[in-house]
Amino acid sequence: MSGGDIGKWNTSGCEAKHRENQTTCLCDHLTFFAVLMLPSSDIDEIHKNYLTIISYVGCIISALASLITIVFLCLRKKQRNHIVYVHMNLLWAIFLLNVSFLVTMPLAPNMEGMACKASGTFLHFSVLACLTWMAIEGYSLYRLVIQVFNSYMKCLLVKLSLIGWGLPLLVVCLIFGIDQSSYGLSSLKVYTSPDQYHIEFICWITKKEINNFLNLGYLGLVVLFNSIMLVIMVYEIRRLRHREHHWRYVVMLLGLSCVLGIPWGLVFFAFASGTFKLVAVYLFTIINSLQGFLIFLWYLAKVLQSRRSNSMQCTTSNSLNLQSSNSSI
């Protein structure tokens, strides 16, 4: 630390690793979801503890909800199309991100060398895969709406899968191949008072440049792309006023787009300071750690709405048949 800093180690849950010419203190404290994207992850201890609880509860709920939704989508074979497969891949990416976060963060102090590097690499792959499938969701919904629900492209699912999983894999392999030290134990300052802090470690990206330029840059592009897709889709649906229940589709698109990437943009407000930054961090942690659960709720509402529409159609059909019978009499 620099000469002006006053820091100390929190010995609770910590141990010292002694090596030749080096002593490393590792702590088993948990950390929070927003640390994956924050440009600066320094935070007060009390808020870190609250955010940690929110993160772990949210990730557990999100992972379970993602699995339930995937199983439900697999069972609905008759109604499966390319957009459903995109939903399933996004849910798998969210599930991998939740699980890798739940496993990597608490085990970081017990990991050394290649184990920590591999864990950080897989966590980074999960983040990039999640962001990529968000962008694919935006593109797929755009095709679904603009091409009047009749979009088709030869080998579309194969191409989307190669992008959704292949691009993140390529990026992390290139980073790891160029410099293995890019992944490993990354430090986090946790302040116990305005002028005192202790250091905690996670298996993540060790170089802030990669997080600041690659992760935040990629996230910015995804949020911008999905925002543009959202505006175009809402405009197109509102323009087609003759289409029945067009506002229903607008609400569905707004709900889906809000849980598929746009809330991740809250991290950019973390460049601020004070209360504004803290609020952004809390909102980012709450919403995005529950992303899989929010998609589950959206899809559940979609299914219930579809059943209600079918029920209304059946009721209308029966009424028409009854009227026809009465007129014949």
Side-chain angles (χ1 to χ4, degrees), residues 72-85:
F72 181 76
L73 292 175
C74 289
L75 295 176
R76 296 170 63 90
K77 294 182 179 179
K78 293 182 179 180
Q79 301 182 15
R80 195 183 303 174
N81 51 34
H82 91 273
I83 192 66
V84 173
Y85 282 102

Side-chain angles (χ1 to χ4, degrees), residues 29-220:
H29 303 286
L30 306 182
T31 191
F32 52 98
F33 194 78
V35 76
L36 299 177
M37 282 291 176
L38 281 177
S40 176
S41 53
D42 304 342
I43 197 165
D44 293 343
E45 185 171 29
I46 185 170
H47 292 297
K48 197 251 349 183
N49 293 334
Y50 290 147
L51 289 167
T52 295
I53 295 172
I54 294 171
S55 298
Y56 276 75
V57 172
C59 284
I60 291 172
I61 294 174
S62 179
L64 292 175
S66 297
L67 274 183
I68 292 172
T69 310
I70 290 171
V71 171
F72 181 76
L73 292 175
C74 289
L75 295 176
R76 296 170 63 90
K77 294 182 179 179
K78 293 182 179 180
Q79 301 182 15
R80 195 183 303 174
N81 51 34
H82 91 273
I83 192 66
V84 173
Y85 282 102
V86 173
H87 294 337
M88 292 173 65
N89 278 279
L90 175 61
L91 287 166
W92 275 120
I94 293 173
F95 176 78
L96 289 178
L97 176 58
N98 294 148
V99 172
S100 59
F101 178 85
L102 289 170
V103 172
T104 299
M105 295 306 174
L107 295 181
N110 299 318
M111 294 183 181
E112 294 186 27
M114 288 303 299
C116 188
K117 293 179 186 293
S119 181
T121 301
F122 185 76
L123 182 58
H124 191 205
F125 165 78
S126 301
V127 171
L128 294 179
C130 195
L131 294 176
T132 304
W133 279 106
M134 289 176 196
I136 292 175
E137 277 280 5
Y139 168 75
S140 299
L141 286 171
Y142 169 81
R143 285 174 50 83
L144 191 68
V145 172
I146 300 304
Q147 298 190 19
V148 197
F149 304 94
N150 190 28
S151 58
Y152 174 77
M153 182 185 295
K154 187 177 181 180
C155 301
L156 176 63
L157 290 174
V158 175
K159 295 175 181 178
L160 293 180
S161 297
L162 287 175
I163 296 173
W165 299 111
L167 181 60
L169 182 61
L170 177 63
V171 171
V172 296
C173 286
L174 284 175
I175 294 175
F176 190 83
I178 293 173
D179 187 0
Q180 293 186 9
S181 64
S182 297
Y183 298 107
L185 284 176
S186 178
S187 62
L188 167 67
K189 289 182 181 179
V190 179
Y191 285 86
T192 54
S193 65
D195 58 350
Q196 290 186 329
Y197 62 86
H198 63 265
I199 306 295
E200 298 182 11
F201 290 95
I202 59 174
C203 289
W204 180 229
I205 299 170
T206 59
K207 297 185 177 180
K208 293 187 179 296
E209 295 79 8
I210 295 177
N211 185 66
N212 293 343
F213 291 101
L214 175 61
N215 289 353
L216 292 177
Y218 193 40
L219 171 61

Side-chain angles (χ1 to χ4, degrees), residues 141-150 231-250 253:
L141 286 171
Y142 169 81
R143 285 174 50 83
L144 191 68
V145 172
I146 300 304
Q147 298 190 19
V148 197
F149 304 94
N150 190 28
V231 171
I232 294 174
M233 288 185 289
V234 171
Y235 171 79
E236 184 67 19
I237 292 174
R238 290 195 61 185
R239 187 178 65 84
L240 299 175
R241 292 183 180 273
H242 64 276
R243 179 175 292 171
E244 188 179 1
H245 305 307
H246 67 278
W247 273 109
R248 182 185 68 184
Y249 295 108
V250 172
L253 289 171

